[in-house]
Structure formats: C-alpha cells, structure tokens
Amino acid sequence: AVLVIACPCALGLATPTAIMVGTGVAARHGILIKDAEALERARAVTAVVFDKTGTLTEGRPTVSEIVAAPGIDRTMGEGDLLRLAASAQYGSEHPLGRAVTARAKALNLPLTEPANFEALAGRGLKATVEGRALAVGSRRLMGEIGVATDALEPKAQAIEGEGRTAIWVADVNPPRLLGLIGIGDPVRAGAVEAVRRLKERGVESVMLTGDNTRTAHAVAARIGLDRVLAEVLPADKAGEVQRLRGQGRVVAMVGDGVNDAPALAAADVGIAMGSGTDVAMHTAGVTLMQSDPRVVADAIGISKATSDRIRWNLFWAFAYNVLAIPAAALGFLTPVIAGAAMAMSSVSVVTSSLMLKRWKPER
C-alpha cells in the first residue's frame, strides 16, 4: 500500500499538464509562447520595454508638413525639397523613408534612383541625387556633417512637441540646410490602456526609441509611460535592456523590427508583435498575433495563471503523499484503496490543469 501511494504520477503530471493547457489557451487568444521557459519568466516581469514605432504607434507614418529653409535657395520650394528627399530614400524599407516616398508619389513628383547610397543606422542616410550629395536624417546627422539647423529649430521643436518626427534635409558639399519634413505616426488605440493595465500589475513601462528626446517625451506623456529612453542607436538597444536587468528588474522587451532583435534576445522575455519581421518573431519567446499592446498584459496574465496552477497542483500532489503514506504505513489503507487514491490524485491534478481553459483576457 505504501509503494502504491508513493507512485509519483501526480508529481510528474503537475507541471507539464498545466503548461500544455496554458500554452494552448494562450494560443487561442493570439499569444504564441515558444517554450516553457518564456511562460515561466513572464509571470515575474517587473518592467516592460516598448519600442515606439510599430509597437506603441501604428507603424504607418505619414508626412504632415514640408518646410524649405529660408534664404538658402530661392528656387527650392516644398515640392523640390520633397522630390529630393524622396529620391534619396527611393526603395527604402524604413517606415519614415516609405512615408516620404509615398507622399511624393501621391503628388506625382518625378523620382530618380539615388547613387552612392549609404544608410547610417539610427541617424539617416547619405545619397547622391541629380548630382547633389544629400544627407537626410536626424539632428545628430546634421551636426556630424556641419550643417546648422538654427533657421528651422523653432519649427522643428513645434513639430517634435506634438509627438511627430522632424527629418532634416541638407546638401553635404557644401554643407547647407535645405529644409525639414514633419512626419507623424498615430498612437495605437490600445496603448494607453496597455500601460494602465501594466501599472495595475505593478509593472513599469519604458519606451525605447531612436527618435529625438522631445518627440519621445511628447508621445510618452500622451500614453502615460513611466520612463523614456530616447535617441538610442539600434546597436545600443540591447545594452539598454541589459542595463535595466542589471538594476534588478525582470525585463520584457516588446518590438517588431529587425533592429529590435538583439534587444529581444537580451531581455528576460522577448515579445514580438505579429505584424513585425520574421527575425523579431524568431528571436522572441512570445509572439502576439494581434498588433495590440494590450495583449502584453494578457501574456503576463496567462503566465501568472499557469504558474499559480502549477503551484496548486504540486501542493495537492505533495499533500496527498504526506497524508496518505503514513496512513498506509499504519495499515489504515489496503493496496486496493491505495491504488484508487493514487489514480484519483492523478485525475485531480489533470482536472485542476484543465480548469485553466476557463482563463480569459481581462478586456
């Protein structure tokens, strides 16, 4: 009777059955969990780092305004500025580059393929268009090539203060400012609620972006984020995630682009948006099939529910042995009753795990 009671079936079933049911329920709600490790770690997350473009925003930026620099080139109008910037970024896969070329095509502007194209990660690009060496990108890039932006700084700051991005356009030889293009990317509908739900769980929300500080803080204020890490180059994103982990936080990174892959791998839990690149989804331990940041809280929720169920299963299995083995040793249980009790303990653990199927997202 003691040997039958001590059969560890319930202990062996406690964890795998809960994980199997938990991952299945998560998948039905659009949360694909790659492995048990990701499921286990997600419950302990204390900080969620969001990439801005495509995660907290729609990822479909559009040109909002075009401003030519005054007193530089009297023949340079808004159409010419847009045509040069769009030609320099012709064929670009970057969301901001696609926004510029889409606006130029909508206005039926003649575009030419650039020569000597050079992408500068996190800063912009250099290219030759119609014999002109151009630089298109951030304020940092303008400083690197020696272009003064004072003439359009008030306009740029107004654009950035509204949460939009200012893209600068300049000649390289000789260095001179040609103008700037304002690009807006709407905040996702569920971003505010996503951050609120994470705060209710005691989880800090952090925005990690290569955008300028003013734009990042304007978007963060609109969403209600706790912290902003702005003007971070793609190569430095993983380092920022590691730094947060070094401060004792359990970090989840949410991203969708190729540049986010190192940061996703560096985080305790990588969460990729389903609308993102294959590289991001392959790197992350969790993939959200819906491009909705609110599902991040759901992923943490199902992880916690599964972990709680595993603990309950283990408690039940241990409690059964602690009570039944002494009873069998003292002769109160026959082998037949012990066998029935052992079977019932296994059934109870499986039934407990199946109760996870009742889990639903909060919203």
Side-chain angles (χ1 to χ4, degrees), residues 66 74-86 109 130 132 169 178:
I66 305 163
R74 295 183 180 276
T75 64
M76 178 67 68
E78 294 180 359
D80 297 313
L81 178 65
L82 179 62
R83 177 176 52 80
L84 290 174
L109 298 178
E130 300 174 5
R132 303 176 69 155
V169 184
L178 298 179

Side-chain angles (χ1 to χ4, degrees), residues 77-248:
E78 294 180 359
D80 297 313
L81 178 65
L82 179 62
R83 177 176 52 80
L84 290 174
S87 294
Q89 300 177 92
Y90 192 80
S92 172
E93 292 298 321
H94 194 284
L96 299 183
R98 290 201 300 266
V100 174
T101 54
R103 179 62 177 272
K105 290 179 180 178
L107 296 176
N108 296 319
L109 298 178
L111 303 182
T112 58
E113 291 192 16
N116 304 321
F117 182 90
E118 180 185 2
L120 306 171
R123 293 168 292 162
L125 60 91
K126 292 180 181 179
T128 301
V129 177
E130 300 174 5
R132 303 176 69 155
L134 299 176
V136 182
S138 65
R139 188 181 281 104
R140 177 185 296 180
L141 177 59
M142 297 298 106
E144 290 177 2
I145 63 175
V147 173
T149 59
D150 298 347
L152 292 180
E153 276 297 341
K155 186 64 178 177
Q157 292 178 16
I159 291 172
E160 294 165 352
E162 295 174 354
R164 291 175 287 160
T165 302
I167 301 298
W168 301 87
V169 184
D171 278 323
V172 176
N173 295 313
R176 61 173 185 172
L177 182 65
L178 298 179
L180 65 83
I181 299 173
I183 300 178
D185 190 5
V187 172
R188 286 194 183 275
V192 175
E193 184 182 349
V195 172
R196 178 184 61 78
R197 288 176 57 192
L198 289 172
K199 285 183 178 180
E200 290 174 353
R201 290 182 173 275
V203 178
E204 180 184 15
S205 299
V206 183
M207 178 196 290
L208 180 63
T209 178
D211 216 333
N212 68 83
T213 302
R214 191 176 290 105
T215 298
H217 278 280
V219 174
R222 191 178 306 166
I223 297 174
L225 289 160
D226 299 311
R227 188 175 179 185
V228 177
L229 301 174
E231 299 186 20
V232 179
L233 296 176
D236 298 332
K237 287 185 176 182
E240 291 292 341
V241 170
Q242 291 282 21
R243 187 168 63 82
L244 288 172
R245 293 182 65 190
Q247 295 172 358

Side-chain angles (χ1 to χ4, degrees), residues 3-363:
L3 290 175
V4 173
I5 285 291
C7 182
C9 290
L11 289 175
L13 291 170
T15 298
T17 55
I19 291 175
M20 179 181 66
V21 176
T23 52
V25 170
R28 284 204 301 273
H29 291 285
I31 305 167
L32 303 184
I33 301 174
K34 183 183 295 185
D35 50 40
E37 184 179 9
L39 181 65
E40 179 184 1
R41 287 185 175 183
R43 69 175 177 81
V45 166
T46 59
V48 175
V49 180
F50 291 95
D51 176 58
K52 181 174 79 71
T53 303
T55 303
L56 292 174
T57 63
E58 294 286 349
R60 295 190 296 270
T62 56
V63 174
S64 58
E65 51 197 306
I66 305 163
V67 184
I72 298 296
D73 189 341
R74 295 183 180 276
T75 64
M76 178 67 68
E78 294 180 359
D80 297 313
L81 178 65
L82 179 62
R83 177 176 52 80
L84 290 174
S87 294
Q89 300 177 92
Y90 192 80
S92 172
E93 292 298 321
H94 194 284
L96 299 183
R98 290 201 300 266
V100 174
T101 54
R103 179 62 177 272
K105 290 179 180 178
L107 296 176
N108 296 319
L109 298 178
L111 303 182
T112 58
E113 291 192 16
N116 304 321
F117 182 90
E118 180 185 2
L120 306 171
R123 293 168 292 162
L125 60 91
K126 292 180 181 179
T128 301
V129 177
E130 300 174 5
R132 303 176 69 155
L134 299 176
V136 182
S138 65
R139 188 181 281 104
R140 177 185 296 180
L141 177 59
M142 297 298 106
E144 290 177 2
I145 63 175
V147 173
T149 59
D150 298 347
L152 292 180
E153 276 297 341
K155 186 64 178 177
Q157 292 178 16
I159 291 172
E160 294 165 352
E162 295 174 354
R164 291 175 287 160
T165 302
I167 301 298
W168 301 87
V169 184
D171 278 323
V172 176
N173 295 313
R176 61 173 185 172
L177 182 65
L178 298 179
L180 65 83
I181 299 173
I183 300 178
D185 190 5
V187 172
R188 286 194 183 275
V192 175
E193 184 182 349
V195 172
R196 178 184 61 78
R197 288 176 57 192
L198 289 172
K199 285 183 178 180
E200 290 174 353
R201 290 182 173 275
V203 178
E204 180 184 15
S205 299
V206 183
M207 178 196 290
L208 180 63
T209 178
D211 216 333
N212 68 83
T213 302
R214 191 176 290 105
T215 298
H217 278 280
V219 174
R222 191 178 306 166
I223 297 174
L225 289 160
D226 299 311
R227 188 175 179 185
V228 177
L229 301 174
E231 299 186 20
V232 179
L233 296 176
D236 298 332
K237 287 185 176 182
E240 291 292 341
V241 170
Q242 291 282 21
R243 187 168 63 82
L244 288 172
R245 293 182 65 190
Q247 295 172 358
R249 294 176 174 87
V250 179
V251 179
M253 172 69 194
V254 186
D256 69 333
V258 173
N259 291 336
D260 299 326
L264 290 170
D268 292 287
V269 181
I271 302 177
M273 304 294 276
S275 60
T277 63
D278 292 341
V279 173
M281 287 186 281
H282 179 74
T283 305
V286 179
T287 298
L288 308 181
M289 298 311 296
Q290 306 172 47
S291 297
D292 186 344
R294 290 177 295 183
V295 187
V296 173
D298 295 335
I300 296 174
I302 185 59
S303 171
K304 186 176 185 305
T306 303
S307 297
D308 290 345
R309 186 58 55 180
I310 290 172
R311 288 193 179 91
W312 173 252
N313 288 350
L314 291 172
F315 167 79
W316 175 257
F318 275 111
Y320 154 80
N321 281 348
V322 168
L323 295 174
I325 289 177
L330 293 172
F332 293 115
L333 299 178
T334 66
V336 173
I337 297 176
M342 184 272 291
M344 286 304 299
S345 69
S346 298
V347 170
S348 66
V349 166
V350 173
T351 303
S352 173
S353 296
L354 289 173
M355 290 180 67
L356 269 175
K357 296 179 72 174
R358 299 162 57 186
W359 179 89
K360 292 183 179 179
E362 293 178 13
R363 54 192 169 82

